[in-house]
Amino acid sequence: MPLGMGSPGRTHRPVLSADRLGAVPEGPFAKIRGLIEIVAGALALSCGFFFASFDSMEGRAMACLVMGLYLLLLLFRPVPLTFWRAFLPVIGPVLLAMAWIALAPLLAPGAWLAPDMATGNIVGFHAAVMALLAGALIGYRHVPVVRLIDIWLIIVALQLGLSLLMGTGVLAGPFDVPMFRNGRLTGLASNANIQAVLAGIALLLTAARVAARLRHQRQPWRALVRNPGIAAQLGLVILCLAVMLYAGSRFPLFVAGLLLAVLGARALARGGTRGGLLRIALITGLVGVISLAGMADVVVRRLGELDVGAAVRTEMWSRYLAAAWRSPWFGYGPGGFPTLNSMLLPDPLVAEAAWTVNSPHNILLQLLLKGGLPYLLFLLAAAAMVAVPVVRHFSGGRRSLEAWGIALALVFLFANGMIDICLDVPATTCFAMFLAGVLWGTARPVPVVGVSKP
């Protein structure tokens, strides 16, 4: 039944398709307003990756300011009461988590190890919450998310290109920051793993766009020649592979490969020119293998350290988990982890290697140590309120490849957050929360157009 028809009060669950993701607002003023929201969103969600991922006290304040301004822009448009009612089960547990953190110094004086560092971390948390709300509004309002992602990808391509060119010495950059550390590309993100995660996100989103645009082409090769935009997107895929390899991050490479296989399976399952898609994927993979051969030293060295890295992570997590159960209700406070880590170092040999560790490298441990078990459970409840409708939505029908790209990018971020710091850094955390909000907003049932709700 078409949208806008049916019995009064009936709702229609919109398909998360290219039409929904790329809907254009009606009317000239609405189009201008939509364009401003798209461009501002792409800038707000990408600027942090040029400035050390906003991973500092000042950076967290800047992330909060940027996301606050963007949310304010979105709130200039009236927000229907139905949105706030639908969003309440998501934001409710988040507000309870914030209240728990705020009450911790009163309920357990002295529990926080570094009260002077708490403000910056709390501000960063607020930035992530505002990113979630902004994404939910964007998804709920049918703002063309695909176009926002396209602009974001253009900006990120500039970041990846500058990082690679400046890191290899081809270009003398204006940023006085080291591009390599221990033989690995840290780039403008100032961290090799964050740089690799950013490239992995861009890889998945771009691959989804390329597959979607070529799926119905009878001759994909000619489409590449006739459409420079598709060729440029394919070039971005290759750039992302190169950056991930130069960064030498093993887990992001592995997870990105698995999720690309899932995306490819979805593309083939939906039909289209399978042979052309397979040939393009084969050529792109071949270029990636050639790039791998050119960076064999970095990759081989990192793979050779796999067992050592796993042992270090396991030992770290066991120490941090034991510490978490010594303060299960209130944790050690926002910003208290570096102090806690220095207190847990067992001997000088371990201290020499681990005294600079500033994150537990696991999002669940991070939340547990920051605010205790109640804080973790509140945020897990909020995550479940987002995940359940999204999973139902994707399992309830055929979704576009662009939608699958967004969902897989979010899975990629959370998978990496389980073993690394990407969800402890404002730039990547805000982007993850924005994608989660977009998926939640587009998965919600909306009232039928033209039918007044009693």
Side-chain angles (χ1 to χ4, degrees), residues 16-18 21 146 204-205 207-216 262-271 277 394 398-408:
L16 187 57
S17 63
L21 288 170
V146 166
L204 290 165
L205 293 174
R209 289 291 281 144
V210 171
R213 297 177 73 176
L214 292 179
R215 188 169 61 86
H216 294 298
V262 173
L263 183 63
R266 296 300 308 175
L268 295 177
R270 296 197 57 161
L277 285 175
F394 273 82
R398 295 177 64 179
R399 309 302 171 210
S400 69
L401 291 176
E402 290 95 340
W404 275 98
I406 292 174
L408 293 177

PDB file of all heavy atoms in Angstrom, residues 16-18 21 146 204-205 207-216 262-271 277 394 398-408:
ATOM      1  N   LEU A  16      14.399   1.206   4.791  1.00  0.00           N
ATOM      2  CA  LEU A  16      15.684   1.905   4.830  1.00  0.00           C
ATOM      3  C   LEU A  16      16.357   1.689   3.490  1.00  0.00           C
ATOM      4  O   LEU A  16      17.183   0.815   3.308  1.00  0.00           O
ATOM      5  CB  LEU A  16      16.546   1.377   5.965  1.00  0.00           C
ATOM      6  CG  LEU A  16      17.855   2.127   6.247  1.00  0.00           C
ATOM      7  CD1 LEU A  16      17.576   3.583   6.531  1.00  0.00           C
ATOM      8  CD2 LEU A  16      18.578   1.483   7.406  1.00  0.00           C
ATOM      9  N   SER A  17      15.973   2.472   2.525  1.00  0.00           N
ATOM     10  CA  SER A  17      16.428   2.288   1.154  1.00  0.00           C
ATOM     11  C   SER A  17      17.151   3.527   0.694  1.00  0.00           C
ATOM     12  O   SER A  17      17.273   4.508   1.407  1.00  0.00           O
ATOM     13  CB  SER A  17      15.220   2.038   0.243  1.00  0.00           C
ATOM     14  OG  SER A  17      14.391   3.185   0.257  1.00  0.00           O
ATOM     15  N   ALA A  18      17.639   3.464  -0.540  1.00  0.00           N
ATOM     16  CA  ALA A  18      18.293   4.640  -1.097  1.00  0.00           C
ATOM     17  C   ALA A  18      17.313   5.800  -1.178  1.00  0.00           C
ATOM     18  O   ALA A  18      17.680   6.960  -1.043  1.00  0.00           O
ATOM     19  CB  ALA A  18      18.852   4.309  -2.479  1.00  0.00           C
ATOM     20  N   LEU A  21      17.094   7.094   2.421  1.00  0.00           N
ATOM     21  CA  LEU A  21      18.360   7.697   2.810  1.00  0.00           C
ATOM     22  C   LEU A  21      18.685   8.913   1.971  1.00  0.00           C
ATOM     23  O   LEU A  21      19.441   9.775   2.385  1.00  0.00           O
ATOM     24  CB  LEU A  21      19.495   6.669   2.668  1.00  0.00           C
ATOM     25  CG  LEU A  21      19.502   5.549   3.696  1.00  0.00           C
ATOM     26  CD1 LEU A  21      20.509   4.491   3.300  1.00  0.00           C
ATOM     27  CD2 LEU A  21      19.832   6.085   5.070  1.00  0.00           C
ATOM     28  N   VAL A 146      22.662   9.753   2.616  1.00  0.00           N
ATOM     29  CA  VAL A 146      23.643   9.325   1.625  1.00  0.00           C
ATOM     30  C   VAL A 146      24.466  10.510   1.158  1.00  0.00           C
ATOM     31  O   VAL A 146      25.685  10.407   0.986  1.00  0.00           O
ATOM     32  CB  VAL A 146      22.933   8.636   0.440  1.00  0.00           C
ATOM     33  CG1 VAL A 146      23.868   8.490  -0.743  1.00  0.00           C
ATOM     34  CG2 VAL A 146      22.433   7.260   0.869  1.00  0.00           C
ATOM     35  N   LEU A 204      34.347   0.846   3.978  1.00  0.00           N
ATOM     36  CA  LEU A 204      33.046   0.178   3.958  1.00  0.00           C
ATOM     37  C   LEU A 204      31.965   1.061   3.347  1.00  0.00           C
ATOM     38  O   LEU A 204      31.164   0.606   2.524  1.00  0.00           O
ATOM     39  CB  LEU A 204      32.659  -0.236   5.375  1.00  0.00           C
ATOM     40  CG  LEU A 204      33.482  -1.374   5.987  1.00  0.00           C
ATOM     41  CD1 LEU A 204      33.266  -1.442   7.487  1.00  0.00           C
ATOM     42  CD2 LEU A 204      33.121  -2.696   5.343  1.00  0.00           C
ATOM     43  N   LEU A 205      31.938   2.335   3.731  1.00  0.00           N
ATOM     44  CA  LEU A 205      30.922   3.238   3.203  1.00  0.00           C
ATOM     45  C   LEU A 205      31.102   3.464   1.703  1.00  0.00           C
ATOM     46  O   LEU A 205      30.120   3.501   0.946  1.00  0.00           O
ATOM     47  CB  LEU A 205      30.975   4.577   3.950  1.00  0.00           C
ATOM     48  CG  LEU A 205      30.579   4.540   5.429  1.00  0.00           C
ATOM     49  CD1 LEU A 205      30.823   5.895   6.086  1.00  0.00           C
ATOM     50  CD2 LEU A 205      29.117   4.129   5.600  1.00  0.00           C
ATOM     51  N   ALA A 207      32.719   1.421  -0.468  1.00  0.00           N
ATOM     52  CA  ALA A 207      32.448   0.174  -1.185  1.00  0.00           C
ATOM     53  C   ALA A 207      30.947  -0.036  -1.360  1.00  0.00           C
ATOM     54  O   ALA A 207      30.485  -0.499  -2.414  1.00  0.00           O
ATOM     55  CB  ALA A 207      33.072  -0.999  -0.437  1.00  0.00           C
ATOM     56  N   ALA A 208      30.174   0.318  -0.343  1.00  0.00           N
ATOM     57  CA  ALA A 208      28.714   0.191  -0.447  1.00  0.00           C
ATOM     58  C   ALA A 208      28.164   1.114  -1.523  1.00  0.00           C
ATOM     59  O   ALA A 208      27.276   0.743  -2.297  1.00  0.00           O
ATOM     60  CB  ALA A 208      28.070   0.500   0.905  1.00  0.00           C
ATOM     61  N   ARG A 209      28.672   2.339  -1.586  1.00  0.00           N
ATOM     62  CA  ARG A 209      28.213   3.282  -2.609  1.00  0.00           C
ATOM     63  C   ARG A 209      28.576   2.804  -4.010  1.00  0.00           C
ATOM     64  O   ARG A 209      27.768   2.871  -4.936  1.00  0.00           O
ATOM     65  CB  ARG A 209      28.829   4.663  -2.356  1.00  0.00           C
ATOM     66  CG  ARG A 209      28.280   5.365  -1.147  1.00  0.00           C
ATOM     67  CD  ARG A 209      26.839   5.796  -1.346  1.00  0.00           C
ATOM     68  NE  ARG A 209      26.740   7.018  -2.132  1.00  0.00           N
ATOM     69  CZ  ARG A 209      25.780   7.276  -2.998  1.00  0.00           C
ATOM     70  NH1 ARG A 209      24.839   6.377  -3.231  1.00  0.00           N
ATOM     71  NH2 ARG A 209      25.738   8.418  -3.658  1.00  0.00           N
ATOM     72  N   VAL A 210      29.808   2.315  -4.179  1.00  0.00           N
ATOM     73  CA  VAL A 210      30.237   1.831  -5.496  1.00  0.00           C
ATOM     74  C   VAL A 210      29.380   0.641  -5.920  1.00  0.00           C
ATOM     75  O   VAL A 210      28.899   0.571  -7.058  1.00  0.00           O
ATOM     76  CB  VAL A 210      31.729   1.455  -5.473  1.00  0.00           C
ATOM     77  CG1 VAL A 210      32.130   0.745  -6.769  1.00  0.00           C
ATOM     78  CG2 VAL A 210      32.590   2.696  -5.278  1.00  0.00           C
ATOM     79  N   ALA A 211      29.186  -0.308  -5.016  1.00  0.00           N
ATOM     80  CA  ALA A 211      28.395  -1.500  -5.352  1.00  0.00           C
ATOM     81  C   ALA A 211      26.958  -1.125  -5.708  1.00  0.00           C
ATOM     82  O   ALA A 211      26.370  -1.681  -6.634  1.00  0.00           O
ATOM     83  CB  ALA A 211      28.424  -2.481  -4.187  1.00  0.00           C
ATOM     84  N   ALA A 212      26.389  -0.165  -4.949  1.00  0.00           N
ATOM     85  CA  ALA A 212      25.009   0.246  -5.219  1.00  0.00           C
ATOM     86  C   ALA A 212      24.884   0.931  -6.576  1.00  0.00           C
ATOM     87  O   ALA A 212      23.917   0.718  -7.312  1.00  0.00           O
ATOM     88  CB  ALA A 212      24.521   1.179  -4.111  1.00  0.00           C
ATOM     89  N   ARG A 213      25.869   1.738  -6.934  1.00  0.00           N
ATOM     90  CA  ARG A 213      25.801   2.478  -8.198  1.00  0.00           C
ATOM     91  C   ARG A 213      26.088   1.588  -9.406  1.00  0.00           C
ATOM     92  O   ARG A 213      25.627   1.881 -10.509  1.00  0.00           O
ATOM     93  CB  ARG A 213      26.773   3.656  -8.158  1.00  0.00           C
ATOM     94  CG  ARG A 213      26.422   4.679  -7.086  1.00  0.00           C
ATOM     95  CD  ARG A 213      27.424   5.800  -7.007  1.00  0.00           C
ATOM     96  NE  ARG A 213      27.306   6.711  -8.151  1.00  0.00           N
ATOM     97  CZ  ARG A 213      28.033   7.822  -8.276  1.00  0.00           C
ATOM     98  NH1 ARG A 213      28.915   8.144  -7.338  1.00  0.00           N
ATOM     99  NH2 ARG A 213      27.876   8.597  -9.333  1.00  0.00           N
ATOM    100  N   LEU A 214      26.837   0.521  -9.207  1.00  0.00           N
ATOM    101  CA  LEU A 214      27.182  -0.355 -10.332  1.00  0.00           C
ATOM    102  C   LEU A 214      26.269  -1.560 -10.448  1.00  0.00           C
ATOM    103  O   LEU A 214      26.320  -2.275 -11.449  1.00  0.00           O
ATOM    104  CB  LEU A 214      28.624  -0.841 -10.197  1.00  0.00           C
ATOM    105  CG  LEU A 214      29.726   0.204 -10.370  1.00  0.00           C
ATOM    106  CD1 LEU A 214      31.092  -0.433 -10.174  1.00  0.00           C
ATOM    107  CD2 LEU A 214      29.652   0.871 -11.735  1.00  0.00           C
ATOM    108  N   ARG A 215      25.436  -1.795  -9.433  1.00  0.00           N
ATOM    109  CA  ARG A 215      24.691  -3.049  -9.393  1.00  0.00           C
ATOM    110  C   ARG A 215      23.754  -3.202 -10.578  1.00  0.00           C
ATOM    111  O   ARG A 215      23.576  -4.310 -11.098  1.00  0.00           O
ATOM    112  CB  ARG A 215      23.900  -3.130  -8.081  1.00  0.00           C
ATOM    113  CG  ARG A 215      23.248  -4.466  -7.831  1.00  0.00           C
ATOM    114  CD  ARG A 215      22.732  -4.541  -6.414  1.00  0.00           C
ATOM    115  NE  ARG A 215      21.735  -3.532  -6.154  1.00  0.00           N
ATOM    116  CZ  ARG A 215      20.437  -3.683  -6.418  1.00  0.00           C
ATOM    117  NH1 ARG A 215      20.014  -4.809  -6.966  1.00  0.00           N
ATOM    118  NH2 ARG A 215      19.576  -2.734  -6.150  1.00  0.00           N
ATOM    119  N   HIS A 216      23.139  -2.126 -11.028  1.00  0.00           N
ATOM    120  CA  HIS A 216      22.169  -2.211 -12.119  1.00  0.00           C
ATOM    121  C   HIS A 216      22.772  -1.838 -13.473  1.00  0.00           C
ATOM    122  O   HIS A 216      22.046  -1.748 -14.455  1.00  0.00           O
ATOM    123  CB  HIS A 216      20.968  -1.311 -11.829  1.00  0.00           C
ATOM    124  CG  HIS A 216      20.167  -1.772 -10.643  1.00  0.00           C
ATOM    125  ND1 HIS A 216      19.529  -2.998 -10.603  1.00  0.00           N
ATOM    126  CD2 HIS A 216      19.917  -1.175  -9.451  1.00  0.00           C
ATOM    127  CE1 HIS A 216      18.905  -3.131  -9.438  1.00  0.00           C
ATOM    128  NE2 HIS A 216      19.135  -2.042  -8.727  1.00  0.00           N
ATOM    129  N   VAL A 262      30.733  -9.651   3.726  1.00  0.00           N
ATOM    130  CA  VAL A 262      29.294  -9.592   3.996  1.00  0.00           C
ATOM    131  C   VAL A 262      28.609  -8.634   3.022  1.00  0.00           C
ATOM    132  O   VAL A 262      27.555  -8.951   2.453  1.00  0.00           O
ATOM    133  CB  VAL A 262      29.045  -9.145   5.453  1.00  0.00           C
ATOM    134  CG1 VAL A 262      27.549  -8.904   5.693  1.00  0.00           C
ATOM    135  CG2 VAL A 262      29.575 -10.184   6.429  1.00  0.00           C
ATOM    136  N   LEU A 263      29.229  -7.472   2.815  1.00  0.00           N
ATOM    137  CA  LEU A 263      28.656  -6.496   1.880  1.00  0.00           C
ATOM    138  C   LEU A 263      28.613  -7.059   0.463  1.00  0.00           C
ATOM    139  O   LEU A 263      27.618  -6.894  -0.257  1.00  0.00           O
ATOM    140  CB  LEU A 263      29.484  -5.210   1.915  1.00  0.00           C
ATOM    141  CG  LEU A 263      28.993  -4.061   1.044  1.00  0.00           C
ATOM    142  CD1 LEU A 263      27.621  -3.587   1.508  1.00  0.00           C
ATOM    143  CD2 LEU A 263      29.993  -2.911   1.077  1.00  0.00           C
ATOM    144  N   GLY A 264      29.691  -7.738   0.054  1.00  0.00           N
ATOM    145  CA  GLY A 264      29.702  -8.353  -1.269  1.00  0.00           C
ATOM    146  C   GLY A 264      28.631  -9.411  -1.419  1.00  0.00           C
ATOM    147  O   GLY A 264      27.980  -9.511  -2.469  1.00  0.00           O
ATOM    148  N   ALA A 265      28.416 -10.199  -0.368  1.00  0.00           N
ATOM    149  CA  ALA A 265      27.366 -11.223  -0.414  1.00  0.00           C
ATOM    150  C   ALA A 265      25.989 -10.582  -0.556  1.00  0.00           C
ATOM    151  O   ALA A 265      25.136 -11.073  -1.298  1.00  0.00           O
ATOM    152  CB  ALA A 265      27.427 -12.085   0.843  1.00  0.00           C
ATOM    153  N   ARG A 266      25.765  -9.462   0.153  1.00  0.00           N
ATOM    154  CA  ARG A 266      24.491  -8.768   0.022  1.00  0.00           C
ATOM    155  C   ARG A 266      24.308  -8.219  -1.391  1.00  0.00           C
ATOM    156  O   ARG A 266      23.219  -8.288  -1.967  1.00  0.00           O
ATOM    157  CB  ARG A 266      24.401  -7.609   1.019  1.00  0.00           C
ATOM    158  CG  ARG A 266      24.412  -8.012   2.477  1.00  0.00           C
ATOM    159  CD  ARG A 266      23.264  -8.906   2.834  1.00  0.00           C
ATOM    160  NE  ARG A 266      21.967  -8.369   2.430  1.00  0.00           N
ATOM    161  CZ  ARG A 266      20.815  -9.026   2.548  1.00  0.00           C
ATOM    162  NH1 ARG A 266      20.808 -10.257   3.036  1.00  0.00           N
ATOM    163  NH2 ARG A 266      19.683  -8.471   2.184  1.00  0.00           N
ATOM    164  N   ALA A 267      25.380  -7.689  -1.969  1.00  0.00           N
ATOM    165  CA  ALA A 267      25.291  -7.145  -3.326  1.00  0.00           C
ATOM    166  C   ALA A 267      24.960  -8.241  -4.332  1.00  0.00           C
ATOM    167  O   ALA A 267      24.122  -8.069  -5.218  1.00  0.00           O
ATOM    168  CB  ALA A 267      26.603  -6.448  -3.695  1.00  0.00           C
ATOM    169  N   LEU A 268      25.603  -9.390  -4.195  1.00  0.00           N
ATOM    170  CA  LEU A 268      25.351 -10.491  -5.118  1.00  0.00           C
ATOM    171  C   LEU A 268      23.967 -11.088  -4.904  1.00  0.00           C
ATOM    172  O   LEU A 268      23.310 -11.516  -5.859  1.00  0.00           O
ATOM    173  CB  LEU A 268      26.427 -11.562  -4.946  1.00  0.00           C
ATOM    174  CG  LEU A 268      27.847 -11.137  -5.333  1.00  0.00           C
ATOM    175  CD1 LEU A 268      28.821 -12.255  -5.046  1.00  0.00           C
ATOM    176  CD2 LEU A 268      27.915 -10.741  -6.799  1.00  0.00           C
ATOM    177  N   ALA A 269      23.515 -11.123  -3.663  1.00  0.00           N
ATOM    178  CA  ALA A 269      22.193 -11.689  -3.376  1.00  0.00           C
ATOM    179  C   ALA A 269      21.083 -10.839  -3.971  1.00  0.00           C
ATOM    180  O   ALA A 269      20.003 -11.345  -4.278  1.00  0.00           O
ATOM    181  CB  ALA A 269      21.995 -11.811  -1.867  1.00  0.00           C
ATOM    182  N   ARG A 270      21.338  -9.551  -4.159  1.00  0.00           N
ATOM    183  CA  ARG A 270      20.315  -8.668  -4.702  1.00  0.00           C
ATOM    184  C   ARG A 270      20.312  -8.647  -6.221  1.00  0.00           C
ATOM    185  O   ARG A 270      19.568  -7.894  -6.836  1.00  0.00           O
ATOM    186  CB  ARG A 270      20.520  -7.248  -4.172  1.00  0.00           C
ATOM    187  CG  ARG A 270      20.346  -7.165  -2.667  1.00  0.00           C
ATOM    188  CD  ARG A 270      20.151  -5.749  -2.217  1.00  0.00           C
ATOM    189  NE  ARG A 270      19.001  -5.147  -2.883  1.00  0.00           N
ATOM    190  CZ  ARG A 270      18.381  -4.059  -2.438  1.00  0.00           C
ATOM    191  NH1 ARG A 270      18.785  -3.496  -1.326  1.00  0.00           N
ATOM    192  NH2 ARG A 270      17.369  -3.537  -3.101  1.00  0.00           N
ATOM    193  N   GLY A 271      21.150  -9.450  -6.832  1.00  0.00           N
ATOM    194  CA  GLY A 271      21.130  -9.547  -8.294  1.00  0.00           C
ATOM    195  C   GLY A 271      21.954  -8.464  -8.933  1.00  0.00           C
ATOM    196  O   GLY A 271      22.881  -7.916  -8.351  1.00  0.00           O
ATOM    197  N   LEU A 277      30.521  -6.790 -11.164  1.00  0.00           N
ATOM    198  CA  LEU A 277      30.875  -6.487  -9.777  1.00  0.00           C
ATOM    199  C   LEU A 277      32.038  -7.346  -9.308  1.00  0.00           C
ATOM    200  O   LEU A 277      32.948  -6.867  -8.634  1.00  0.00           O
ATOM    201  CB  LEU A 277      29.657  -6.693  -8.869  1.00  0.00           C
ATOM    202  CG  LEU A 277      28.559  -5.629  -8.929  1.00  0.00           C
ATOM    203  CD1 LEU A 277      27.380  -6.046  -8.073  1.00  0.00           C
ATOM    204  CD2 LEU A 277      29.079  -4.279  -8.481  1.00  0.00           C
ATOM    205  N   PHE A 394      16.289  -4.404   9.725  1.00  0.00           N
ATOM    206  CA  PHE A 394      17.123  -5.037   8.704  1.00  0.00           C
ATOM    207  C   PHE A 394      16.684  -6.470   8.433  1.00  0.00           C
ATOM    208  O   PHE A 394      16.865  -6.973   7.322  1.00  0.00           O
ATOM    209  CB  PHE A 394      18.595  -4.998   9.116  1.00  0.00           C
ATOM    210  CG  PHE A 394      19.290  -3.732   8.705  1.00  0.00           C
ATOM    211  CD1 PHE A 394      19.168  -2.586   9.464  1.00  0.00           C
ATOM    212  CD2 PHE A 394      20.052  -3.684   7.553  1.00  0.00           C
ATOM    213  CE1 PHE A 394      19.793  -1.414   9.083  1.00  0.00           C
ATOM    214  CE2 PHE A 394      20.675  -2.514   7.153  1.00  0.00           C
ATOM    215  CZ  PHE A 394      20.545  -1.376   7.931  1.00  0.00           C
ATOM    216  N   ARG A 398      14.190  -6.179   2.487  1.00  0.00           N
ATOM    217  CA  ARG A 398      15.406  -5.879   1.740  1.00  0.00           C
ATOM    218  C   ARG A 398      15.786  -4.419   1.953  1.00  0.00           C
ATOM    219  O   ARG A 398      14.982  -3.521   1.748  1.00  0.00           O
ATOM    220  CB  ARG A 398      15.190  -6.168   0.249  1.00  0.00           C
ATOM    221  CG  ARG A 398      14.952  -7.644  -0.043  1.00  0.00           C
ATOM    222  CD  ARG A 398      14.672  -7.855  -1.513  1.00  0.00           C
ATOM    223  NE  ARG A 398      15.815  -7.505  -2.333  1.00  0.00           N
ATOM    224  CZ  ARG A 398      15.838  -7.623  -3.659  1.00  0.00           C
ATOM    225  NH1 ARG A 398      14.766  -8.071  -4.297  1.00  0.00           N
ATOM    226  NH2 ARG A 398      16.905  -7.286  -4.347  1.00  0.00           N
ATOM    227  N   ARG A 399      17.036  -4.199   2.340  1.00  0.00           N
ATOM    228  CA  ARG A 399      17.536  -2.846   2.561  1.00  0.00           C
ATOM    229  C   ARG A 399      18.583  -2.523   1.494  1.00  0.00           C
ATOM    230  O   ARG A 399      19.211  -3.406   0.925  1.00  0.00           O
ATOM    231  CB  ARG A 399      18.142  -2.699   3.956  1.00  0.00           C
ATOM    232  CG  ARG A 399      17.232  -3.181   5.076  1.00  0.00           C
ATOM    233  CD  ARG A 399      15.903  -2.455   5.081  1.00  0.00           C
ATOM    234  NE  ARG A 399      14.942  -3.059   6.007  1.00  0.00           N
ATOM    235  CZ  ARG A 399      13.643  -3.035   5.840  1.00  0.00           C
ATOM    236  NH1 ARG A 399      13.118  -2.468   4.773  1.00  0.00           N
ATOM    237  NH2 ARG A 399      12.847  -3.588   6.720  1.00  0.00           N
ATOM    238  N   SER A 400      18.766  -1.248   1.260  1.00  0.00           N
ATOM    239  CA  SER A 400      19.713  -0.824   0.227  1.00  0.00           C
ATOM    240  C   SER A 400      21.143  -1.150   0.657  1.00  0.00           C
ATOM    241  O   SER A 400      21.444  -1.318   1.838  1.00  0.00           O
ATOM    242  CB  SER A 400      19.576   0.672  -0.020  1.00  0.00           C
ATOM    243  OG  SER A 400      20.049   1.398   1.104  1.00  0.00           O
ATOM    244  N   LEU A 401      22.020  -1.182  -0.323  1.00  0.00           N
ATOM    245  CA  LEU A 401      23.432  -1.427  -0.020  1.00  0.00           C
ATOM    246  C   LEU A 401      24.028  -0.265   0.774  1.00  0.00           C
ATOM    247  O   LEU A 401      24.927  -0.473   1.595  1.00  0.00           O
ATOM    248  CB  LEU A 401      24.214  -1.644  -1.315  1.00  0.00           C
ATOM    249  CG  LEU A 401      23.897  -2.943  -2.070  1.00  0.00           C
ATOM    250  CD1 LEU A 401      24.666  -3.007  -3.378  1.00  0.00           C
ATOM    251  CD2 LEU A 401      24.218  -4.158  -1.210  1.00  0.00           C
ATOM    252  N   GLU A 402      23.539   0.957   0.528  1.00  0.00           N
ATOM    253  CA  GLU A 402      24.015   2.089   1.326  1.00  0.00           C
ATOM    254  C   GLU A 402      23.650   1.905   2.796  1.00  0.00           C
ATOM    255  O   GLU A 402      24.451   2.196   3.693  1.00  0.00           O
ATOM    256  CB  GLU A 402      23.412   3.396   0.800  1.00  0.00           C
ATOM    257  CG  GLU A 402      23.945   3.838  -0.538  1.00  0.00           C
ATOM    258  CD  GLU A 402      23.055   3.372  -1.681  1.00  0.00           C
ATOM    259  OE1 GLU A 402      22.266   2.410  -1.469  1.00  0.00           O
ATOM    260  OE2 GLU A 402      23.138   3.953  -2.782  1.00  0.00           O
ATOM    261  N   ALA A 403      22.429   1.415   3.050  1.00  0.00           N
ATOM    262  CA  ALA A 403      22.018   1.161   4.433  1.00  0.00           C
ATOM    263  C   ALA A 403      22.887   0.085   5.064  1.00  0.00           C
ATOM    264  O   ALA A 403      23.294   0.199   6.223  1.00  0.00           O
ATOM    265  CB  ALA A 403      20.551   0.753   4.466  1.00  0.00           C
ATOM    266  N   TRP A 404      23.171  -0.962   4.300  1.00  0.00           N
ATOM    267  CA  TRP A 404      24.053  -2.006   4.812  1.00  0.00           C
ATOM    268  C   TRP A 404      25.457  -1.458   5.067  1.00  0.00           C
ATOM    269  O   TRP A 404      26.121  -1.857   6.036  1.00  0.00           O
ATOM    270  CB  TRP A 404      24.107  -3.183   3.834  1.00  0.00           C
ATOM    271  CG  TRP A 404      22.983  -4.142   4.041  1.00  0.00           C
ATOM    272  CD1 TRP A 404      21.819  -4.218   3.348  1.00  0.00           C
ATOM    273  CD2 TRP A 404      22.912  -5.172   5.039  1.00  0.00           C
ATOM    274  NE1 TRP A 404      21.015  -5.220   3.845  1.00  0.00           N
ATOM    275  CE2 TRP A 404      21.664  -5.824   4.884  1.00  0.00           C
ATOM    276  CE3 TRP A 404      23.768  -5.590   6.044  1.00  0.00           C
ATOM    277  CZ2 TRP A 404      21.269  -6.871   5.702  1.00  0.00           C
ATOM    278  CZ3 TRP A 404      23.367  -6.645   6.878  1.00  0.00           C
ATOM    279  CH2 TRP A 404      22.138  -7.269   6.692  1.00  0.00           C
ATOM    280  N   GLY A 405      25.919  -0.543   4.224  1.00  0.00           N
ATOM    281  CA  GLY A 405      27.226   0.053   4.447  1.00  0.00           C
ATOM    282  C   GLY A 405      27.284   0.815   5.755  1.00  0.00           C
ATOM    283  O   GLY A 405      28.265   0.711   6.512  1.00  0.00           O
ATOM    284  N   ILE A 406      26.227   1.587   6.062  1.00  0.00           N
ATOM    285  CA  ILE A 406      26.182   2.328   7.323  1.00  0.00           C
ATOM    286  C   ILE A 406      26.153   1.363   8.512  1.00  0.00           C
ATOM    287  O   ILE A 406      26.871   1.539   9.507  1.00  0.00           O
ATOM    288  CB  ILE A 406      24.958   3.257   7.344  1.00  0.00           C
ATOM    289  CG1 ILE A 406      25.127   4.373   6.304  1.00  0.00           C
ATOM    290  CG2 ILE A 406      24.746   3.856   8.728  1.00  0.00           C
ATOM    291  CD1 ILE A 406      23.913   5.249   6.147  1.00  0.00           C
ATOM    292  N   ALA A 407      25.324   0.322   8.415  1.00  0.00           N
ATOM    293  CA  ALA A 407      25.224  -0.645   9.512  1.00  0.00           C
ATOM    294  C   ALA A 407      26.550  -1.376   9.727  1.00  0.00           C
ATOM    295  O   ALA A 407      26.990  -1.565  10.875  1.00  0.00           O
ATOM    296  CB  ALA A 407      24.107  -1.644   9.222  1.00  0.00           C
ATOM    297  N   LEU A 408      27.203  -1.772   8.646  1.00  0.00           N
ATOM    298  CA  LEU A 408      28.479  -2.493   8.772  1.00  0.00           C
ATOM    299  C   LEU A 408      29.585  -1.575   9.287  1.00  0.00           C
ATOM    300  O   LEU A 408      30.473  -2.021  10.021  1.00  0.00           O
ATOM    301  CB  LEU A 408      28.866  -3.107   7.430  1.00  0.00           C
ATOM    302  CG  LEU A 408      27.955  -4.239   6.945  1.00  0.00           C
ATOM    303  CD1 LEU A 408      28.382  -4.716   5.565  1.00  0.00           C
ATOM    304  CD2 LEU A 408      27.939  -5.406   7.927  1.00  0.00           C
TER     305      LEU A 408
END
